[in-house]
């Protein structure tokens, strides 16, 4: 049985399709790399706060199509299907389909144009468990070991995106910085 798009799906996702901020949810190889990097940072006396690890694929699907239909960048009939999500995007008319999608955009608190012009991703590394959002803080200069065990000095910078010394240490562990998104690190830098 299918249920039309609307606030029902916001409640459904908040119950059945939650995101995680736990390391255990990451893909195994990336998780081991991240754990090693974080241990090195903590040994270097940095504090590491993890805000996001794996993004639920069903939630990402609902975000993506709700956003696209609500903004008019797709018609309800364009939406793909997803196993385990029996949603009916098409309400029979373009305007009521758009309203159903808009209820979801509002319920999920998604940013719409002009605040955001990009649809929530269906292919983020977070969905595959190969990305992590974390805030790394320390005071002054930290001495941290790279994967080979070489100790490196890294100066704190309020802009993590330009801290190439820190990026190098992360890369030695296979954890790469996306330099346009402050908390975001992944298996390939995207
Ligand atoms: Zn991220």
């Amino acid at each position: 049985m299918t249920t039309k798009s609307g606030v029902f799906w916001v409640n459904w996702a908040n119950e059945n399709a939650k995101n995680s901020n736990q390391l255990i949810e990451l893909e195994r190889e990336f998780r081991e790399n991240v754990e090693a990097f974080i241990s090195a940072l903590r040994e270097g006396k940095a504090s590491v706060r993890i805000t996001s690890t794996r993004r639920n694929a069903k939630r990402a699907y609902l975000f993506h199509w709700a956003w696209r239909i609500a903004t008019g960048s797709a018609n309800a009939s364009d939406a793909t299907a997803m196993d385990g999500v029996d949603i009916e995007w098409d309400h029979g008319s373009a305007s009521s389909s758009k309203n159903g999608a808009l209820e979801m955009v509002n319920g999920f608190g998604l940013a719409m144009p002009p605040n955001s012009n990009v649809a929530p991703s269906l292919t983020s590394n977070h969905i595959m468990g190969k990305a992590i959002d974390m805030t790394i803080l320390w005071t002054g200069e930290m001495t941290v070991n790279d994967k080979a065990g070489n100790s490196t000095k890294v100066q704190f910078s309020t802009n993590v995106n330009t801290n190439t010394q820190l990026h190098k240490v992360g890369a030695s562990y296979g954890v790469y910085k996306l330099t346009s998104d402050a908390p975001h690190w992944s298996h390939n830098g995207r």
Side-chain angles (χ1 to χ4, degrees):
M1 201 190 103
T2 60
T3 304
K4 283 191 168 62
S5 62
V7 76
F8 168 88
W9 288 102
V10 176
N11 298 325
W12 181 88
N14 289 342
E15 198 59 42
N16 301 292
K18 293 178 192 169
N19 290 337
S20 175
N21 64 0
Q22 302 299 307
L23 289 174
I24 193 75
E25 300 289 340
L26 291 172
E27 177 270 334
R28 187 196 179 98
E29 186 184 345
F30 182 66
R31 171 169 56 83
E32 288 171 358
N33 292 342
V34 165
E35 284 171 345
F37 180 36
I38 290 177
S39 312
L41 291 167
R42 287 184 173 148
E43 276 163 32
K45 304 279 188 280
S47 86
V48 179
R49 191 168 63 90
I50 300 162
T51 49
S52 172
T53 57
R54 189 184 285 269
R55 194 173 296 163
N56 185 289
K58 293 173 181 170
R59 193 176 188 87
Y61 164 83
L62 292 170
F63 278 26
H64 179 85
W65 288 108
W67 192 95
R68 291 202 51 199
I69 295 163
T71 57
S73 84
N75 295 315
S77 55
D78 298 331
T80 56
M82 180 158 200
D83 278 350
V85 187
D86 292 329
I87 187 167
E88 179 59 74
W89 293 103
D90 196 340
H91 291 227
S93 85
S95 68
S96 58
S97 301
K98 204 165 176 171
N99 282 338
L102 197 55
E103 265 184 39
M104 293 171 64
V105 163
N106 291 334
F108 286 128
L110 305 179
M112 292 270 281
N115 296 319
S116 173
N117 295 307
V118 183
S121 174
L122 280 180
T123 57
S124 165
N125 275 320
H126 280 292
I127 297 168
M128 294 175 289
K130 293 182 174 184
I132 182 169
D133 292 343
M134 58 183 169
T135 306
I136 307 162
L137 298 173
W138 69 95
T139 309
E141 193 175 70
M142 154 171 76
T143 303
V144 58
N145 285 338
D146 70 12
K147 186 161 189 193
N150 303 310
S151 86
T152 315
K153 292 190 187 314
V154 186
Q155 197 69 34
F156 182 73
S157 160
T158 50
N159 183 359
V160 65
N161 284 337
T162 57
N163 196 339
T164 51
Q165 280 300 112
L166 184 65
H167 304 174
K168 260 167 92 175
V169 176
S172 78
Y173 289 94
V175 182
Y176 297 91
K177 188 75 189 74
L178 174 64
T179 57
S180 59
D181 184 353
H184 187 96
W185 301 72
S186 74
H187 79 113
N188 62 2
R190 291 195 288 275

